[in-house]
């Protein structure tokens, strides 16, 4: 369709939902609720947009805010208004170690290396090598059933690759599978007020704000003050 009458076009994988003129009730919490006629072909609505103006509707979230407009990144000076402070989480639950992957390493400076090519022109010595990993802990982040992963290699470099490399060498992926919150904290009181948080989405910022994880809550264990994650974890 034409966008904003400027000759630009956009391609969408979404399904249009026609909504007649309706009255939109607003709850005391400020959350807007409205019944929409979802076609039988749609079994889930992970996102909802308006066409004119073209804006994303925000799912109910806490703290409330507009994720496309508000400064909610961890390092943002206004993040405390629409995000939960990191010190509200007591501990992130680490996954159990798995088997280390199988590594493939080629020293390209060696004229006898199996590729038939040599490379020794990079000031970063790692870029004069080829490395990849497959299986084991790699499969927790990358599907290596059809291809090995450079980032899961034992000599990868660039773009914080040393973090991924450490995961591979240790056999433990550093993406949490849950969290333990402080009882009596603001976030703890909020979580324990939920009847059933299963299906909720937790957004977690990297300390430098450039990396965001999304986790779907599997269950809440009130006895241990822990949220267990199900799906999610990728950037």
């Amino acid at each position: 369709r034409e966008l904003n009458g400027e000759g630009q076009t956009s391609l969408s994988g979404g399904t249009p939902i026609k909504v007649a003129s309706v009255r939109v009730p607003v709850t005391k919490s400020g959350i807007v609720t409205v019944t929409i006629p979802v076609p039988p072909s749609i079994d889930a609505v992970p996102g909802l947009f308006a066409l004119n103006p073209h804006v994303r509707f925000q799912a109910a979230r806490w703290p409330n805010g507009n994720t496309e407009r508000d400064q909610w990144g961890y390092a943002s000076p206004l993040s405390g208004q629409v995000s939960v402070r990191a010190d509200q989480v007591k501990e992130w639950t680490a996954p159990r170690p798995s088997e280390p992957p199988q590594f493939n390493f080629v020293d390209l400076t060696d004229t006898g290396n199996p590729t038939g090519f040599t490379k020794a022109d990079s000031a970063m010595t790692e870029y004069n090598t080829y490395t990849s990993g497959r299986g084991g802990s790699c499969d927790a982040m990358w599907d290596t059933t059809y291809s090995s992963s450079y980032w899961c290699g034992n000599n990868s470099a660039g773009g914080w690759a040393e973090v991924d490399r450490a995961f591979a060498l240790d056999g433990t992926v550093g993406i949490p599978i849950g969290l333990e919150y402080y009882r009596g904290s603001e976030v703890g009181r909020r979580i324990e007020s939920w009847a059933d948080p299963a299906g909720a989405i937790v957004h977690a910022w990297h300390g430098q704000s450039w990396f965001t994880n999304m986790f779907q809550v599997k269950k809440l264990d009130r006895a241990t003050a822990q949220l267990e994650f199900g799906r999610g974890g990728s950037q």
Side-chain angles (χ1 to χ4, degrees):
R1 70 180 180 84
E2 187 171 313
L3 188 64
N4 298 328
E6 298 177 357
Q8 300 178 3
T9 58
S10 63
L11 180 65
S12 172
T15 299
I17 300 175
K18 294 183 178 181
V19 180
S21 178
V22 294
R23 179 184 178 188
V24 180
V26 180
T27 65
K28 292 181 179 180
S29 62
I31 298 174
V32 176
T33 60
V34 63
T35 301
I36 58 177
V38 178
S41 59
I42 300 178
D43 57 8
V45 185
L48 196 61
F49 293 79
L51 289 178
N52 188 19
H54 189 254
V55 294
R56 182 198 305 268
F57 290 109
Q58 299 292 311
R61 68 187 303 271
W62 179 81
N64 196 18
N66 186 320
T67 57
E68 295 191 338
R69 181 192 63 209
D70 297 332
Q71 296 186 35
W72 69 291
Y74 180 75
S76 168
L78 301 179
S79 63
Q81 298 180 16
V82 288
S83 299
V84 177
R85 298 193 316 273
D87 59 13
Q88 297 268 315
V89 175
K90 184 176 182 180
E91 184 176 12
W92 295 93
T93 308
R96 294 181 178 179
S98 59
E99 292 294 325
Q102 296 178 343
F103 295 119
N104 181 24
F105 175 81
V106 179
D107 182 358
L108 297 174
T109 65
D110 182 357
T111 56
N113 79 76
T115 68
F117 298 91
T118 58
K119 183 180 186 300
D121 59 352
S122 178
M124 288 185 63
T125 57
E126 295 90 345
Y127 289 164
N128 296 320
T129 68
Y130 171 78
T131 181
S132 65
R134 188 170 195 165
S137 56
C138 288
D139 287 340
M141 278 296 292
W142 304 276
D143 182 2
T144 61
T145 57
Y146 67 95
S147 176
S148 58
S149 169
Y150 170 80
W151 301 106
C152 206
N154 57 359
N155 200 47
S156 54
W160 286 83
E162 66 272 15
V163 178
D164 298 323
R165 184 175 68 240
F167 294 166
L169 293 170
D170 187 53
T172 303
V173 175
I175 304 298
I177 58 174
L179 65 82
E180 179 181 356
Y181 54 87
Y182 285 104
R183 295 186 184 278
S185 65
E186 182 183 14
V187 67
R189 292 192 301 270
R190 185 75 182 195
I191 290 174
E192 293 188 347
S193 71
W194 297 336
D196 181 8
I201 304 296
V202 173
H203 299 254
W205 280 97
H206 182 284
Q208 294 184 339
S209 290
W210 57 266
F211 184 104
T212 308
N213 290 116
M214 296 174 65
F215 304 95
Q216 187 175 58
V217 175
K218 183 177 181 180
K219 67 177 182 180
L220 165 64
D221 188 335
R222 300 178 190 276
T224 60
Q226 291 183 329
L227 283 179
E228 180 182 338
F229 299 150
R231 298 174 56 209
S234 297
Q235 182 175 3

